[in-house]
Amino acid sequence: MPQSSDPKNRPKPAPISPGTDSTGSPAIPPSSWAKRTGFRPRFSGETNASDSGQINRSPVNGGAPVAVNSDKDETVKKKRESESGAGRLPAKPVAKSGAAETVAPAPAPAQPSQRAVRNDDVENALPQIVEEEFVSHHPHMKYELRDTPGLVPIGFYGFQHYLSMLGSLVLIPLVIVPAMGGDHEDTSMVVSTVLFISGITTLLQANFGSRLPLIQGPSFVFLAPALAIINSPEFLGLNGNNFKHIMKELQGAIIIASAFQALLGYSGLMALLLRLINPVVVSPTIAAVGLSFYSYGFPQMGACLEIGMVQILLVIIFSLYLRKVSVLGHRIFLIYAVPLGLAITWAMSFLLTEAGAYKYDGCDVNIPTSNMLSDHCRKHVARMKSCRADTSHALKSSPWFRFPYPLQWGTPVFNWKMSIVMCVVSFISAVDSVGSYHASSLLVASRPPTPGVVSRGIGLEGLCSVLAGLWGTGTGSTSLTENVHTIAVTKMGSRKAVELGAGVLIVLSLVGKVGGFIASIPQVMVAGLLCIMWAMLAALGLSNLRYSEAGSSRNIIIIGLSLFFSLSVPAYFQQYGLTPNSNASVPFYFQPYIVASHGPFRSQYGGLNYVMNTLLSFHMVIAFLVAIVLDNTVPGSKQERGVYVWCEPESARREPAVAKDYGLPFRVGRMFRWVRWVGL
């Protein structure tokens, strides 16, 4: 009789004598108390992140364990086992008797020992792994990594995936281009370039990098160094077209830093550094990126508070209070909270503008403030520019067709001190990507990637950032942190859907009106979107703590110190040596990024002063330095630290499912079999 798949009817193993194992052989004495008691640590790689945060635990009934299983889990398990090869269990022996053939029953495999669930197991009780096997099914996902449900579902979910991440893709150009002195047409061109590069780099990463469904784009990690370079002392007195000159300086710094990141990945050095990068390091580093822009978000939104606050409240209502409302089986309010909030607020601003709410007699918003003679107009011009929906002419001036091409702003300018700053930041972006690789793989893949696959992904991100530098997006290209949240909410992890969406993104980038439409978003709404995205980024960073023991006093102190000093130390550098009206020509929300001209680090080498004052004024750099030093020097168990568990290369090469998840397509992997440190 074949063994039943029902856990209730499954035969129980015979009692094992103290001196023998399940096969009757003498048992090997356990080498430690942990093995003797059956203790299994909970590592970060052994869990599946759920989109709702609800955890399915084995119910406790009077201390007796109850096996929990479902038909869906059993079906997925059989499918995965068939992909992994049928040779895991020994073949059943066949005994012939005359013309009839009878199949001798195979010996039942030894069942893992069950133990009562204690109260200690309730804490941090994510789905655990039995016998050191990774969870290979994800019942909460609609489509997993290699699923191809059809062109229509793939197109729909791909569009949904990109639309939900629209803010992450286009907000950075809306901040840095005006800061460089660019006009609406320049903003439109940079937005189109960002969409084009994002589509190209996403296709490259999905096929030749980590092969996870992660959208590539301009990360907020690069925003602070870009603003610091834009507000460098040597650029404050420029005359003429400041935008192109500063953009060429940014391009040079990004290209050098990207080459450094590519070398870090493809040399295999990143695989060695993974031993130092754990959730307790990643969590405060990414959270500090979101918290560092508090001086820009709400102060900018306050220029037109009635518009900005409505947008914030709408996103909160959609994403929190209406998150469980489904329309045709889709939680549209949760998935499209940001685009819906933007659309409704933009429509309200347009109606108020047409009704004359922001019209003042004798005042024209298109006239520069310096040319206005009336004090009445000077008083209200800022409000008019922020609240009116018709101040931007980007949509009218944009052509219908525009093809972004490399070096469109001119030949990049290479400056060693700015390049060093960008190299440090590119390593921080690699740390961010490590967390994204691990979290997304637990959602969609059969196992986490190997260290070689992580190195390969980081190396390709460096090459993609080189493309971003050549085309002139103003920032590097990396895996967006918001990917993990989007995958969990949309329940779409198909690689094909992301690839199709990337192709659509490339087509849209060629339509100049699309870039012009995005560039015409009112500035107050951009600030409102940034408040939401930065808050989400800080929360996503802190969510990495779920892989560790978040209640541990060791981790609490490390996280607290990292976050506090990430805010306090940069404040010291940013305020050191400031005098009243010393930076009157720079807007107040950009003054934290001109620390290079007045920081406390003052040696006889001006370039060294620039590098040290600038780097130590970045919140994410301070958080990373404090966290990585403390986490790797303060004693703590792997269970307490939540050490990332990556798939072993040997086991990955033995399992076809893992090879299909991360193996390179088109037989490219065969050409690089000798490069073991950047693959399976």
Side-chain angles (χ1 to χ4, degrees), residues 20-77:
T20 61
D21 59 10
S22 59
T23 61
S25 304
I28 301 175
S31 58
S32 67
W33 171 88
K35 292 183 179 180
R36 200 162 51 241
T37 56
F39 170 78
R40 293 188 184 91
R42 296 188 290 269
F43 294 140
S44 60
E46 301 175 347
T47 62
N48 267 340
S50 174
D51 60 310
S52 62
Q54 297 176 354
I55 305 301
N56 295 326
R57 300 192 183 101
S58 298
V60 180
N61 190 7
V66 179
V68 179
N69 205 344
S70 64
D71 296 337
K72 184 176 181 180
D73 293 347
E74 200 66 35
T75 303
V76 177
K77 182 178 179 182

Side-chain angles (χ1 to χ4, degrees), residues 119-157:
N119 292 334
D120 297 338
D121 296 333
V122 177
E123 180 186 359
N124 196 25
L126 290 169
Q128 300 302 314
I129 305 307
V130 180
E131 297 296 334
E132 299 181 358
E133 290 287 340
F134 288 91
V135 172
S136 60
H137 62 275
H138 312 282
H140 58 280
M141 297 295 296
K142 291 180 181 177
Y143 301 110
E144 297 182 21
L145 186 60
R146 290 179 280 112
D147 291 342
T148 53
L151 183 61
V152 174
I154 282 180
F156 173 77
Y157 283 104

